[in-house]
């Protein structure tokens, strides 16, 4: 660091009450170097300074190396280009001499010379491309190091943040303007700078003191328009205005209102209207603390009016660049021109929100583009409007199709109990199979996963294998009765039908399990892109062809004590109907900004099978020897990521997961896959996967006194709270501190698991609480996660002895190591 310059080490904003500080911090360009836990340890700065020493030491050598290497490659490329040109000239001269002779006499020599000319030209071009690629690869690395510093400086490090008084004063003015723009017209910002000397270095702390005062409100809103029709349109939708009388005033609300009014007019036929026709006059003189707003809509030119357009003709042409001869068909007043890939006009018509003889509507134009894009048939959709006459438009829709066939292969590693297991999947998709933009996809999969035995008291690890094959038919319309009557609905237009057939085979030492699955359902989205899924029929035939002797004995022992787990391994038929809604706000997948995710799920199974049972005359609770279940299942999952501070280095992530499942009828058990489980890398990271609970149930103990967590612990009810503090050390590395509080419970008492039932008087004392630290490596396209969780509060112990924090930290069963891909929630 330069001793004659002051290092900015601390920066604060005080006095901001109504405006979020993170918003104000985002306007500050010069920020202090990041520190570890608000201490004086600044690892990114340290990495940068260490890297800069090597950079300065090697700068001259790298600069000379870059110049020499550039000159060397230029000479090599020039020599190769000259050599290639000579070969071309020699071959051309040889061919010209042969062309002048009798072709019948020199035919063999001519063919040989032509092949040599092509071969030499192609070979020369390949050599040039290869050496140019090598030149770019080698010189760019050195150039990047010379111009932008070495890897430590660019990626792991952070350059010193030197204090600049002029920059800070500009920031002060910018914050004041920001407060005024947000409606605090009397606000002011003071700047305080404090300097200390530490080991001959000047360290500066700066503080911005905000004086917000009161927020101004809107006193009145009036319009001045060039025509009554526009005035009427604006008044019709004024209830949705961002500027309401006695409502808050801000420049942002003015911009939002300008965009809203522009959309209102463009959705009402005004094709040429743009936001720059709208202006504001804001008067702050009449009433203190309130503003009068006049909204002015300008005419296009002096003496002219804005034109309201109607749609005249609609032309729909698929793959317009395809050279194959086209077919032209008229359907529902739309002209369809199709080339090699042909689609039924009736299907395409169901996706068109635009109609002839209706006013131009930008919203319906966007809807049409969205409906067509969601069909999984077209790469992109272009919609063009051409004026015809004074007030009419011709519409041209040009969608470009995906390829007929699509192949995909994926391989990677699953991680369970910190041990990797490979997986692979292959898929083949065929599109437009019935000319209705349908797609059929065939998928095969295989996985090998490290798992813990559920029947042995040891912690033995073995490899479980799974094979599967599925066929998925996607139809870009809902298969429902009287479809055409509801085709004008937004939800019907973007709804899809999904038909799935799947077979999977799972092999574990205790059992093998074969599952045949069939599914019929729909999915659709609303304008906010919330996803809704409805499965009318989810049918599963589950067979267990093999049970090991030890596991069979274990199930029998549990059954004699009243446990119903053995039902889950009978040959069975599981049917259900379920519906779900998923909502994502912000970029939740990358968790780099404020975002949230929510899912609601409801499922009911087995009811209709009673009628089949009576018709077939089978024993109660079974159909043709297959046991069936009647049950319901509901759960709610909400996740949120919130940045803390304006520098977006700290993030607070949280999750709430609650659910309940209940069996009823002849079989007092759920299908095994319908139970809830707690524990593991995406649940409570201080417990092994699916081993926590239920309630305060105490598992058997090993000879050394530790709990035996060999058995999975299914539950009828789950409550999970997860919180995580994430900090970005650099662009590549992150750390996290987390606390997990979770458990599952039974809805009824179980003699084999005493204390596992849910009781309102004690359930709050039965959360398993774990805490720990995590490290992440973020490659932008892939995030690798290592979490170390240790038990803090163990509900399996006797009351009074449940706090186990710090007890035998690395002991067996106390601390768990989890490796994962992506964030835990």
């Amino acid at each position: 660091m330069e001793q004659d310059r002051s290092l900015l080490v601390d920066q604060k904003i005080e006095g901001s009450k109504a405006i979020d500080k993170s918003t104000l911090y985002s306007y500050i360009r010069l920020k202090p170097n990041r520190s570890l836990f608000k201490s004086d340890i600044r690892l990114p700065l340290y990495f940068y300074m260490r890297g800069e020493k090597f950079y300065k030491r090697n700068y001259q050598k790298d600069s000379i190396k870059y110049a020499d290497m550039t000159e060397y490659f230029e000479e090599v490329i020039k020599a190769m280009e000259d050599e290639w040109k000579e070969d071309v000239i020699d071959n051309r001269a040889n061919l010209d001499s042969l062309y002048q002779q009798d072709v019948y006499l020199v035919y063999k020599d001519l063919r040989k010379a032509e092949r040599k000319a092509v071969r030499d030209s192609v070979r020369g071009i390949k050599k040039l491309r290869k050496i140019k690629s090598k030149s770019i690869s080698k010189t760019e690395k050195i150039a990047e190091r010379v111009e932008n510093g070495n890897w430590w400086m660019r990626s792991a490090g952070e350059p010193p943040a030197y204090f600049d008084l002029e920059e800070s004063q500009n920031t002060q003015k910018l914050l004041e303007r920001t407060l005024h723009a947000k409606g605090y017209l009397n606000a002011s910002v003071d700047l305080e700078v404090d300097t200390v000397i530490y080991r001959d270095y000047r360290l500066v702390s700066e503080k911005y003191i905000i004086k917000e005062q009161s927020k101004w409100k809107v006193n009145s809103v009036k319009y001045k328009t060039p025509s009554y029709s526009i005035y009427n349109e604006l008044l019709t939708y004024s209830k949705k205005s961002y500027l309401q009388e006695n409502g808050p005033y801000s420049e942002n609300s003015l911009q939002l209102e300008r965009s809203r009014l522009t959309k209102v007019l463009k959705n009402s036929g005004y094709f040429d209207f743009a936001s720059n026709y709208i202006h504001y006059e804001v008067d702050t003189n009449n009433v203190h603390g309130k503003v009068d707003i006049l909204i002015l809509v300008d005419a296009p030119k002096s003496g002219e009016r804005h034109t309201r357009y109607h749609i005249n003709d609609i032309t729909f042409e698929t793959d317009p660049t395809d050279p194959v001869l086209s077919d032209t068909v008229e359907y529902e007043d739309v002209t369809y021109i199709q080339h090699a890939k042909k689609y039924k006009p009736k299907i395409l018509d169901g996706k068109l929100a635009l109609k002839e003889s209706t006013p131009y509507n930008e919203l319906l134009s966007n809807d049409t583009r969205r409906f067509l894009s969601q069909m999984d048939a077209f790469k992109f959709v272009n919609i063009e409007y051409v004026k015809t006459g004074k007030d009419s438009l011709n519409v041209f829709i040009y969608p470009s199709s995906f390829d007929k066939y699509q192949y995909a292969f994926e391989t990677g590693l699953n991680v369970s109990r910190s041990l990797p297991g490979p997986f692979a999947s292959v898929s083949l998709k065929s599109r437009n199979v019935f000319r209705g933009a349908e797609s059929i996809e065939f998928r095969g999969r295989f996985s090998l996963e490290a798992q813990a035995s559920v029947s042995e008291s040891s912690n033995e690890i073995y490899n479980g294998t799974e094979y599967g094959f599925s066929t998925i038919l996607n139809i870009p319309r809902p298969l429902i009765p009287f479809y055409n009557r509801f085709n004008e609905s937004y939800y019907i237009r973007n709804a899809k039908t999904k038909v799935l057939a799947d077979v999977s085979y799972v092999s574990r030492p205790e059992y093998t399990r074969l599952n045949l699955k069939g599914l019929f359902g729909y999915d659709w989205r609303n304008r906010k892109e919330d996803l809704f899924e409805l499965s009318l029929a989810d049918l599963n035939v589950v067979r267990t062809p093999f049970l090991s002797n030890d596991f069979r004995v274990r199930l029998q022992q549990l059954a004699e004590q009243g446990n119903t787990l053995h039902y889950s391994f009978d040959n069975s038929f599981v049917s259900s109907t379920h519906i779900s809604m998923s909502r994502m706000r912000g970029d939740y997948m990358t968790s780099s900004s404020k975002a949230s995710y929510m899912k609601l799920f409801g499922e009911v199974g087995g009811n209709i099978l009673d009628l089949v049972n009576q018709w077939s005359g089978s024993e109660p609770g079974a159909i043709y020897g297959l046991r069936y279940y009647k049950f319901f299942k509901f759960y709610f999952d909400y996740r949120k990521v919130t940045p803390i501070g304006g520098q977006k280095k700290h993030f607070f992530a949280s999750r709430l997961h609650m659910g309940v499942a209940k069996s009823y009828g002849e079989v007092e058990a759920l299908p095994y896959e319908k139970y809830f489980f707690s524990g593991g890398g995406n649940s409570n990271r201080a417990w092994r996967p699916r081993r926590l609970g239920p309630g305060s149930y105490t598992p058997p103990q090993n000879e050394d006194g530790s709990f035996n967590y060999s058995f999975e612990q299914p539950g009828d009810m789950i409550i999970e709270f997860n919180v995580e503090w994430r900090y970005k050390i650099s662009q590549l590395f992150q750390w996290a501190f987390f606390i997990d509080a979770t458990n599952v419970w039974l809805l009824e008492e179980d003699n084999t698991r005493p204390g596992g039932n849910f009781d309102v008087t004690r359930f709050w004392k039965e959360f398993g609480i774990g805490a720990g630290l995590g490290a992440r490596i973020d490659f932008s396209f892939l995030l690798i996660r290592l979490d170390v969780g240790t038990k803090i509060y163990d509900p399996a112990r006797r009351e009074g002895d449940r706090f186990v924090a710090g007890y035998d930290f690395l002991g067996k069963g106390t601390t768990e190591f989890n490796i994962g891909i992506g964030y835990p929630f």
Side-chain angles (χ1 to χ4, degrees):
M1 292 183 295
E2 303 174 22
Q3 291 189 354
D4 59 339
R5 302 185 67 181
S6 302
L7 186 69
L8 181 62
V9 295
D10 192 25
Q11 190 175 70
K12 292 182 181 178
I13 293 179
E14 293 184 355
S16 176
K17 298 178 181 179
I19 300 178
D20 186 16
K21 286 185 179 181
S22 63
T23 302
L24 297 176
Y25 273 115
S26 65
Y27 291 98
I28 302 177
R29 289 182 296 180
L30 179 61
K31 296 180 173 63
N33 295 107
R34 286 173 288 181
S35 62
L36 186 64
F37 300 109
K38 295 294 183 180
S39 68
D40 293 332
I41 301 175
R42 304 177 189 275
L43 288 178
L45 177 60
Y46 171 79
F47 291 148
Y48 183 89
M49 302 307 298
R50 295 294 294 177
E52 190 178 40
K53 287 184 178 180
F54 291 104
Y55 171 74
K56 291 179 178 178
R57 186 184 307 168
N58 298 318
Y59 176 78
Q60 187 174 5
K61 182 176 65 176
D62 286 340
S63 299
I64 295 173
K65 185 177 180 181
Y66 173 71
D68 291 345
M69 187 174 292
T70 303
E71 183 179 357
Y72 166 76
F73 279 114
E74 286 177 352
E75 292 178 355
V76 171
I77 291 171
K78 186 177 184 306
M80 292 183 69
E81 285 179 342
D82 293 342
E83 182 182 351
W84 174 68
K85 289 177 181 178
E86 284 184 18
D87 289 341
V88 171
I89 293 172
D90 291 344
N91 286 325
R92 171 53 58 187
N94 186 29
L95 284 170
D96 289 342
S97 66
L98 291 173
Y99 287 145
Q100 293 174 4
Q101 302 180 37
D102 192 334
V103 70
Y104 294 103
L105 297 176
V106 296
Y107 178 75
K108 290 184 178 180
D109 294 337
L110 183 60
R111 292 289 294 169
K112 184 177 179 180
E114 287 177 340
R115 285 196 296 268
K116 183 177 183 302
V118 173
R119 184 172 62 251
D120 289 348
S121 180
V122 171
R123 186 181 298 166
I125 292 172
K126 285 184 177 179
K127 285 184 178 180
L128 281 171
R129 286 178 178 174
K130 186 175 181 180
I131 194 65
K132 286 181 179 179
S133 176
K134 185 177 180 180
S135 168
I136 293 172
S137 175
K138 287 187 172 294
T139 55
E140 276 189 348
K141 289 181 180 179
I142 300 177
E144 177 75 8
R145 193 162 64 241
V146 170
E147 295 175 6
N148 302 317
N150 53 37
W151 181 87
W152 287 101
M153 297 169 65
R154 296 193 314 269
S155 300
E158 192 176 71
Y162 291 115
F163 173 72
D164 187 329
L165 179 59
E166 184 179 353
E167 177 68 23
S168 297
Q169 290 173 342
N170 290 336
T171 299
Q172 178 187 5
K173 296 176 183 177
L174 178 60
L175 291 177
E176 273 192 3
R177 288 198 299 269
T178 301
L179 291 166
H180 295 167
K182 292 184 177 296
Y184 297 89
L185 302 183
N186 297 327
S188 62
V189 179
D190 294 333
L191 173 64
E192 290 185 2
V193 179
D194 185 24
T195 304
V196 298
I197 305 298
Y198 177 76
R199 295 183 180 179
D200 298 330
Y201 290 101
R202 294 198 301 271
L203 308 180
V204 173
S205 299
E206 63 180 15
K207 185 188 299 182
Y208 296 95
I209 301 174
I210 308 296
K211 299 177 181 178
E212 289 178 344
Q213 307 297 335
S214 59
K215 187 178 179 72
W216 285 53
K217 294 184 179 182
V218 176
N219 184 51
S220 65
V221 180
K222 296 180 181 180
Y223 299 92
K224 185 178 180 181
T225 65
S227 67
Y228 178 76
S229 59
I230 289 181
Y231 180 78
N232 188 47
E233 291 289 346
L234 299 185
L235 284 185
T236 302
Y237 300 95
S238 61
K239 290 184 178 180
K240 297 182 179 180
S241 173
Y242 292 96
L243 302 172
Q244 298 289 346
E245 291 186 5
N246 294 318
Y249 163 78
S250 69
E251 289 185 12
N252 183 52
S253 61
L254 294 180
Q255 299 300 326
L256 292 173
E257 181 66 4
R258 175 184 279 115
S259 298
R260 189 190 72 84
L261 295 178
T262 302
K263 289 180 180 178
V264 166
L265 294 176
K266 292 185 79 70
N267 292 338
S268 301
Y270 294 93
F271 175 74
D272 288 328
F273 196 85
S275 59
N276 57 6
Y277 286 116
I278 299 177
H279 302 283
Y280 295 98
E281 289 184 0
V282 180
D283 186 359
T284 61
N285 296 324
N286 293 335
V287 182
H288 184 70
K290 291 188 177 183
V291 298
D292 294 317
I293 301 175
L294 176 62
I295 302 176
L296 302 100
V297 180
D298 296 337
K301 291 181 180 179
S302 178
E304 294 185 6
R305 291 188 176 185
H306 292 281
T307 303
R308 191 179 189 190
Y309 288 86
H310 289 73
I311 294 176
N312 185 28
D313 293 326
I314 301 176
T315 302
F316 191 110
E317 183 177 1
T318 58
D319 305 303
T321 59
D322 197 322
V324 177
L325 294 177
S326 61
D327 291 337
T328 302
V329 177
E330 294 284 338
Y331 184 85
E332 296 292 339
D333 297 326
V334 178
T335 302
Y336 291 93
I337 304 173
Q338 303 196 54
H339 298 267
K341 297 182 179 68
K342 295 181 172 60
Y343 305 89
K344 295 177 181 177
K346 180 179 179 181
I347 303 303
L348 298 176
D349 181 73
K351 302 299 179 181
L352 301 186
L354 300 173
K355 299 297 180 183
E356 287 188 2
S357 303
T358 59
Y360 166 78
N361 190 311
E362 186 180 56
L363 178 63
L364 296 183
S365 181
N366 293 333
D367 285 347
T368 298
R369 185 180 291 106
R370 182 183 295 109
F371 297 153
L372 292 170
S373 300
Q374 291 174 348
M375 294 174 69
D376 191 31
F378 305 114
K379 299 177 189 176
F380 56 86
V381 178
N382 185 27
I383 300 180
E384 296 181 2
Y385 291 88
V386 177
K387 296 179 182 178
T388 173
K390 293 183 178 180
D391 60 354
S392 61
L393 299 168
N394 285 343
V395 185
F396 296 90
I397 304 173
Y398 300 116
S400 295
S401 301
F402 280 114
D403 293 336
K404 171 72 173 177
Y405 298 102
Q406 179 180 317
Y407 167 80
F409 176 76
E410 182 182 9
T411 185
L413 293 176
N414 286 317
V415 182
S416 177
R417 292 207 64 203
S418 305
L419 297 175
F423 73 86
S425 65
V426 61
S427 65
L428 175 65
K429 178 185 288 188
S430 176
R431 293 187 172 92
N432 200 31
V433 287
F434 306 119
R435 292 189 56 214
E438 305 89 352
S439 68
I440 187 167
E441 185 174 2
F442 304 96
R443 295 179 184 173
R445 61 188 182 276
F446 162 77
S447 66
L448 182 67
E449 186 176 1
Q451 298 188 15
S453 169
V454 300
S455 63
E456 301 294 336
S457 60
S458 67
N459 287 325
E460 176 187 358
I461 302 297
Y462 72 90
N463 288 326
T465 57
E466 180 179 353
Y467 307 86
F469 180 81
S470 59
T471 302
I472 306 169
L473 175 63
N474 287 303
I475 305 171
R477 62 189 182 282
L479 296 182
I480 58 175
F482 311 109
Y483 164 73
N484 291 334
R485 295 187 180 181
F486 308 103
N487 197 32
E488 298 297 323
S489 167
Y490 177 91
Y491 299 102
I492 296 297
R493 286 187 188 277
N494 72 12
K496 301 178 184 177
T497 301
K498 180 179 181 180
V499 183
L500 176 143
D502 179 88
V503 56
S504 62
Y505 178 81
V506 178
S507 175
R508 299 180 64 175
E510 296 87 357
Y511 61 83
T512 59
R513 201 164 174 89
L514 178 68
N515 184 20
L516 302 176
K517 178 184 179 71
L519 182 143
F520 179 88
Y522 312 103
D523 66 75
W524 66 95
R525 295 179 182 271
N526 59 17
R527 294 190 187 276
K528 296 181 179 180
E529 290 298 307
D530 299 330
L531 175 64
F532 298 84
E533 296 178 282
L534 170 63
S535 294
L536 290 180
D538 186 351
L539 310 176
N540 298 265
V541 176
V542 183
R543 300 187 67 88
T544 308
F546 168 76
L547 286 174
S548 69
N549 290 331
D550 291 343
F551 192 48
R552 192 186 302 273
V553 170
R554 175 60 180 167
L555 290 177
Q556 182 62 34
Q557 291 173 347
L558 292 174
E560 291 174 355
Q561 299 176 58
N563 190 289
T564 59
L565 182 62
H566 63 283
Y567 287 134
S568 298
F569 293 91
D570 290 345
N571 295 333
S572 57
F573 182 75
V574 181
S575 70
S576 69
T577 298
H578 50 83
I579 186 171
S580 67
M581 187 275 282
S582 303
R583 170 177 293 175
M584 188 179 297
R585 295 291 182 265
D587 189 6
Y588 183 81
M589 301 305 295
T590 62
S591 296
S592 59
S593 59
K594 186 176 182 179
S596 64
Y597 169 83
M598 181 182 71
K599 183 171 184 178
L600 294 170
F601 178 89
E603 182 177 21
V604 178
N607 284 333
I608 197 171
L609 295 181
D610 280 339
L611 299 177
V612 181
N613 175 274
Q614 296 174 9
W615 176 78
S616 64
S618 302
E619 64 177 281
I623 298 177
Y624 299 113
L626 296 175
R627 187 176 302 283
Y628 70 86
Y629 305 82
K630 292 194 292 186
F631 65 94
F632 64 81
K633 181 178 183 178
F634 302 97
Y635 70 79
F636 167 79
D637 191 352
Y638 181 74
R639 312 173 187 190
K640 189 173 183 179
V641 176
T642 305
I644 299 174
Q647 302 180 19
K648 292 189 176 181
K649 300 172 186 176
H650 297 267
F651 294 86
F652 182 76
S654 58
R655 180 194 186 201
L656 170 62
H657 178 209
M658 303 174 65
V660 61
K662 171 67 175 174
S663 64
Y664 58 93
E666 292 78 7
V667 180
E668 296 181 357
L670 289 167
Y672 197 67
E673 292 76 13
K674 304 300 179 182
Y675 283 107
F676 293 105
F677 297 88
S678 185
N682 295 92
S683 177
N684 196 318
R685 285 159 278 187
W687 270 262
R688 287 173 53 185
R690 303 159 75 98
R691 298 313 199 267
L692 173 56
S696 57
Y697 164 67
T698 302
Q701 292 182 314
N702 297 318
E703 294 181 358
D704 60 1
S706 62
F707 288 136
N708 179 6
Y709 287 113
S710 295
F711 304 106
E712 294 181 350
Q713 300 296 340
D716 306 318
M717 181 177 177
I718 189 171
I719 303 178
E720 292 187 327
F721 299 100
N722 308 89
V723 294
E724 188 169 271
W725 187 290
R726 301 168 183 168
Y727 175 68
K728 291 187 176 182
I729 300 175
S730 66
Q731 195 170 7
L732 183 63
F733 299 105
Q734 303 177 21
W735 69 263
F737 170 73
F738 60 84
I739 299 176
D740 302 320
T742 71
N743 209 336
V744 295
W745 288 268
L746 307 175
L747 293 180
E748 297 180 0
E749 293 187 8
D750 182 352
N751 293 331
T752 64
R753 294 187 289 176
N757 63 305
F758 181 83
D759 190 325
V760 293
T761 63
R762 57 177 170 82
F763 84 95
W764 53 274
K765 297 186 291 185
E766 296 175 343
F767 284 96
I769 302 177
L773 295 174
R776 290 94 163 87
I777 304 178
D778 187 0
F779 296 102
S780 70
F781 63 91
L782 175 69
L783 185 137
I784 300 176
R785 166 171 54 94
L786 170 63
D787 290 328
V788 182
T790 187
K791 296 177 177 61
I792 301 296
Y793 183 86
D794 189 352
R797 300 175 182 270
R798 294 179 302 178
E799 287 196 60
D801 297 328
R802 292 178 177 175
F803 280 99
V804 294
Y807 169 75
D808 195 15
F809 177 73
L810 294 177
K812 193 174 184 180
T814 303
T815 300
E816 292 291 329
F817 294 83
N818 301 274
I819 299 177
I821 304 297
Y823 290 106
F825 54 87

